[in-house]
Amino acid sequence: MSIDEKNDRIFKALAASSRRTMLDMLKDHPQTTGELCARFPALDRCTVMQHLKVLEQADLVIVRREGRERWNYLNPLPIKEIHDRWIGPYAVQAVSLLGRLKEDLEG
Amino acid sequence: MSIDEKNDRIFKALAASSRRTMLDMLKDHPQTTGELCARFPALDRCTVMQHLKVLEQADLVIVRREGRERWNYLNPLPIKEIHDRWIGPYAVQAVSLLGRLKEDLEG
DNA sequence: CCATTATGTTATAAAAATATAACATGTCAA
DNA sequence: TTGACATGTTATATTTTTATAACATAATGG
């Protein structure tokens, strides 16, 4: 899979707020699929699993099977990747834009 | 509009690679809608305009009308916002994860 | 072993995003 | 003024994403 495809999967995975919330939930400690489902009472279990699949395919969630349970682990590396190669530079540009604005106001 | 809604619009706007490419194109200098269309031969003009609308509603593109032309400006601030309040912390976590891995390998 | 629990699979419905077509408006320049 | 050009609008088709239902497997504990 190309870098662009990977990038795209990551951005697409982050596009849904439920999925971002799932990542937030996994940030402190891994959780089983059942636990995650319990924390999304509004969503059907199948829907939660579909979201997990999208996250897994973007490599944002890594799965370890243990008995009849499935532990979902957060993998923050792909986020760091898009951060480094795409988002970071924009943030820098935004800062320098603010800097220029400030200069303009002062000067 | 709430902060969460804004956040969501930004992430959704960034979810399509055509739109990210458009932002990349606007990074150096603003461009008219026509210029942008010319640089996306694969896309219909209406499609390009729809994408621009999504970017505009996420406040990622700011529009200035001049005669019969429409100039599209990049606004990197919303990207900096999601960077600061969401993506950055994950990137930090990824770094510390790599750090721990390194320690484990060394220790 | 067997009922329960946790998860997986396949199909399908509903909603949203993407792409295009057809027509409309406003501006410029000759 | 008038025709060409740049953009805008509305409707609709296509594709993708999101949500559910129904059924299936597989491990655990009594």
Side-chain angles (χ1 to χ4, degrees), chain A residues 46-70:
Chain A
C46 298
T47 307
V48 171
M49 286 185 65
Q50 252 178 349
H51 282 309
L52 282 173
K53 196 175 185 181
V54 173
L55 290 170
E56 203 184 339
Q57 285 172 342
D59 200 32
L60 285 162
V61 160
I62 294 172
V63 168
R64 188 172 57 83
R65 195 162 309 288
E66 191 180 313
R68 63 176 164 180
E69 286 177 329
R70 165 191 154 130

